[in-house]
Amino acid sequence: MTGIKVTAEAIRAMKGRGEKIAALTAYDCPMTRLLDEAGVPLILVGDSLGMVVLGYPDTTHVTMAEMEHHVRAAARSKPRALLAADLPYHSYETVADAVANAKRLAAAGAEAVKAEGGVEIQEQVRAIVGSGIPFLGHLGMLPQHVIEEGGYHIKGKSEPEHQRLLEDARALVSAGAFAVVLELVTPRVAKELTQQIPIPTIGIGAGPDCDGQVLVTPDLLGMLPWYNLKHVKPKLNAAEQMRAVVKAWKQNVETVKS
Ligand code: KIV
């Protein structure tokens, strides 16, 4: 991609050119700026915010006010990347709520919104897109349903799940989504969905054959050593390095004679 502002349409068009999409999450101004300067074309203020920044056990506790606060912070960096944001749990139950809350995130600086689900939120997606806000889908393991589902389970293993994923993906396409995140979908089904739909698939723990990949940035950087994730090997041991730097600095402060 060139130096011009990235739009949802530009992300969608990357699939047609066979260009892979690298997406990452950010929750504040400096991280958004760093990712943008590294050339990442799609930055997501994910509701993973709840776990990786706010200390909640899962994403179901994140509120609209919290999302707005962090979207504003990320948007202050004025990224060239497309800045997308998650509609939090229970914020898009009805079409009216979905549009009103998507507009709140857009007013905070989001240039696209994401919500979890397929057929069951098709009308919400259509209305959000109709209001002029680009929509990013999210299928497979849906973290906002982790409590009902009793954990983070891989999707697409059974034939009914496989068929449901196909139906959901087609519903999102017909409602106007510009791309769809596939989380913890079996690589075989993720590959099939990628071949079947005209919009980009962006995988997380869904194998190598999606049109792009997304990660929670603190997972990529090894900032959260307390969790053992199967789908990502940190490329940096930031937590370890930060501890070492802080210990050395502390020791220096404590031992220097004045
Ligand atoms: O909330 C989030 O960070 C996400 C990504 C994992 C795609 O939805």
Side-chain angles (χ1 to χ4, degrees), residues 25 27 44 46-49 59 86 114 116 138 181 183 204 214 216:
T25 64
Y27 317 94
L44 172 70
D47 61 355
S48 49
L49 166 75
T59 62
D86 265 327
K114 175 164 86 55
E116 299 179 4
H138 187 146
V181 169
E183 179 159 358
I204 175 163
V214 59
V216 169

Side-chain angles (χ1 to χ4, degrees), residues 162-223:
H162 169 205
Q163 289 308 324
R164 181 63 204 252
L165 281 164
L166 279 168
E167 267 173 53
D168 284 336
R170 289 185 184 126
L172 291 178
V173 171
S174 113
F178 71 89
V180 59
V181 169
L182 300 180
E183 179 159 358
L184 297 185
V185 170
T186 62
R188 184 182 66 84
V189 173
K191 183 175 181 179
E192 184 185 343
L193 287 171
T194 302
Q195 289 165 345
Q196 294 276 326
I197 62 173
I199 61 172
T201 59
I202 305 179
I204 175 163
D209 295 314
C210 296
D211 297 304
Q213 299 289 332
V214 59
L215 283 179
V216 169
T217 302
D219 294 340
L220 176 67
L221 301 182
M223 293 167 76

